[in-house]
Amino acid sequence: MPRAASSAATDTPVPADALLDELTGWAAGDRLRMFTAWHRGALSLVHLSVLALLEARGPLPMSAVAEALDVSQASATGIIDRMEERGIVERQRAQDDRRVVSIHLTEGGVAVFRDMVEQRRARLRRVLGELTPDEIEGFLKGIRAMRGARERLHAAMNEEPSR
């Protein structure tokens, strides 16, 4: 169902616009805290990009990593070297052709995202603790409606929904 436009005479946002403002409003301090928590000084944003890439697509050859990062193969090799030293990715040779090397997440790489999820859940639990049971129930109903809408849109576009 299409949304109504905001009233030009009153500049009152429609409920969907007000909800978007609430869901996407990040103060600079919030953004800084999130980025700092994500890499905790140990991982660069490039490293997090590689981890996210491997998590989403699975093991990839170095050429695909380089292409996804929009860097040379030599630069990608250096990035993967540093990540391998930290124990978050590993190179594995194909059994049928030892010349083919793919980059895989290690348990340490998987743990980066698991830790992020746990930290995010803890922060959200504190925020939700400030809501009344009725507010939580209404919020849950709205979030479930959003998920359903997202899944319908993805299905209409023949895409895999992200969670």
Side-chain angles (χ1 to χ4, degrees):
M1 168 169 60
R3 66 176 180 84
S6 63
S7 167
T10 63
D11 280 335
T12 304
V14 296
D17 287 338
L19 184 56
L20 282 171
D21 291 345
E22 292 296 330
L23 290 172
T24 60
W26 267 22
D30 292 336
R31 216 174 355 265
L32 178 61
R33 277 189 296 281
M34 183 62 72
F35 288 150
T36 301
W38 279 347
H39 68 76
R40 286 192 228 132
L43 295 176
S44 70
L45 292 177
V46 171
H47 292 167
L48 287 170
S49 294
V50 171
L51 291 177
L53 176 68
L54 295 173
E55 181 187 44
R57 295 190 189 163
L60 293 171
M62 188 67 74
S63 59
V65 172
E67 183 178 327
L69 296 177
D70 195 26
V71 298
S72 69
Q73 189 139 348
S75 292
T77 298
I79 291 166
I80 296 302
D81 286 346
R82 288 185 292 283
M83 294 177 74
E84 203 168 29
E85 288 170 8
R86 290 186 170 108
I88 54 178
V89 299
E90 65 183 0
R91 291 174 171 92
Q92 291 183 7
R93 296 195 178 278
Q95 295 298 330
D96 55 339
D97 185 348
R98 304 285 295 155
R99 296 172 298 175
V100 177
V101 177
S102 58
I103 311 306
H104 295 251
L105 283 176
T106 63
E107 177 54 35
V110 172
V112 169
F113 291 116
R114 189 173 47 243
D115 291 348
M116 285 181 193
V117 168
E118 289 172 8
Q119 289 174 21
R120 182 171 184 241
R121 287 180 65 90
R123 286 189 301 275
L124 286 172
R125 186 176 305 283
R126 287 193 303 271
V127 171
L128 292 173
E130 297 295 315
L131 300 179
T132 67
D134 286 343
E135 290 169 330
I136 289 174
E137 187 176 321
F139 190 53
L140 181 59
K141 183 178 179 181
I143 291 292
R144 286 179 173 161
M146 279 183 62
R147 179 186 295 170
R150 185 183 72 223
E151 288 173 353
R152 287 189 301 277
L153 285 171
H154 284 289
M157 295 184 296
N158 295 319
E159 293 181 357
E160 185 71 24
S162 59
R163 296 219 178 220

